[in-house]
Amino acid sequence: MKLIVAVSGASGVELALKLMKILKEKSVRLSIVISENAKKVFEHELGINANEVDKILQKFGRVFSNTDFSSELASGSSFCYEGMVVLPCSMKTLATIANGLEINLIARAASVCLKEKKKLVICPRETPLRTVHIENMLKLAMEGAIILPLMMSFYLKEKSYEAMINNILGKILKIFDLEFSKNWRWKE
């Protein structure tokens, strides 16, 4: 399986790292696109120097610059991926994708994913939501994208931070028919 993981400049980059680690363990071939703002979030949330982020992500797959429109991720004719996850997805990235503004590689790859009818999972990270945020999510859902907000699940028996993270990761993996060994479901 081949997937794209895009990391935009919203809080929650730790989830993207954990997802990439799991996907690599499952031998999923990853192409990774990260925005410049996401690199700043890595520094703020995880203490990883923004200049070192690409090197760390290369452990999980091939890293593309968000300005690289010459990559295969930008081409519908050479798009050979099962799908794409935007995790976390900022409201700026959500709006860009929803409105067809292919101004960077994340937005272009998402657009190709939609037009090729591949799975596109959008993981927005914002609260509270404005009407325009909800409208943009609706636009994408109507085109076939899966909107998976980064929300806590209160039905978990274990209420730890790790359990909440595993619940979100389990839901993402399930969309691509990948098993997850951690306890993440409502009822096992």
Side-chain angles (χ1 to χ4, degrees):
M1 178 181 288
K2 289 171 63 177
L3 294 175
I4 300 167
V5 174
V7 186
S8 73
S11 182
V13 294
E14 177 183 359
L15 280 162
L17 272 181
K18 289 183 182 228
L19 178 65
M20 288 182 235
K21 182 178 184 228
I22 293 165
L23 292 172
K24 181 174 178 167
E25 290 168 357
K26 294 185 172 296
S27 300
V28 174
R29 290 183 51 204
L30 286 182
S31 293
I32 302 160
V33 186
I34 182 166
S35 74
E36 289 304 310
N37 284 336
K39 291 177 183 181
K40 293 174 186 173
V41 177
F42 267 92
E43 193 158 18
H44 178 75
E45 291 185 352
L46 302 177
I48 298 170
N49 184 296
N51 297 326
E52 300 296 316
V53 173
D54 283 354
K55 290 179 191 171
I56 290 169
L57 297 182
Q58 287 171 356
K59 297 175 188 175
F60 304 109
R62 187 168 171 204
V63 179
F64 292 88
S65 164
N66 201 24
T67 60
D68 184 3
F69 284 95
S70 66
S71 81
E72 68 263 20
L73 308 183
S75 169
S77 61
S78 62
F79 191 87
C80 299
Y81 294 83
E82 279 74 14
M84 177 175 179
V85 179
V86 184
L87 172 68
C89 185
S90 68
M91 289 300 119
K92 176 183 174 185
T93 299
L94 177 80
T96 302
I97 297 167
N99 291 286
L101 303 174
E102 299 174 2
I103 60 172
N104 56 42
L105 187 56
I106 292 174
R108 174 60 185 163
S111 180
V112 172
C113 205
L114 288 170
K115 76 184 188 89
E116 298 293 325
K117 305 296 184 207
K118 304 291 183 174
K119 291 179 182 177
L120 174 62
V121 181
I122 303 287
C123 301
R125 172 52 205 105
E126 182 69 49
T127 188
L129 296 169
R130 291 181 48 215
T131 304
V132 71
H133 300 152
I134 296 166
E135 289 171 345
N136 285 332
M137 285 187 248
L138 178 60
K139 281 182 186 178
L140 286 171
M142 289 174 64
E143 281 200 73
I146 298 162
I147 309 299
L148 199 154
L150 302 181
M151 294 179 173
M152 298 185 308
S153 298
F154 295 97
Y155 54 74
L156 298 171
K157 290 180 183 172
E158 184 186 340
K159 304 284 190 230
S160 70
Y161 173 75
E162 201 62 36
M164 301 287 178
I165 297 277
N166 288 340
N167 180 259
I168 292 166
L169 295 174
K171 288 178 181 182
I172 294 169
L173 292 166
K174 182 182 178 212
I175 290 167
F176 293 100
D177 298 319
L178 294 168
E179 289 297 319
F180 189 39
S181 62
K182 305 286 185 181
N183 184 9
W184 65 273
R185 298 176 189 268
W186 176 53
K187 289 183 180 181
E188 288 296 322

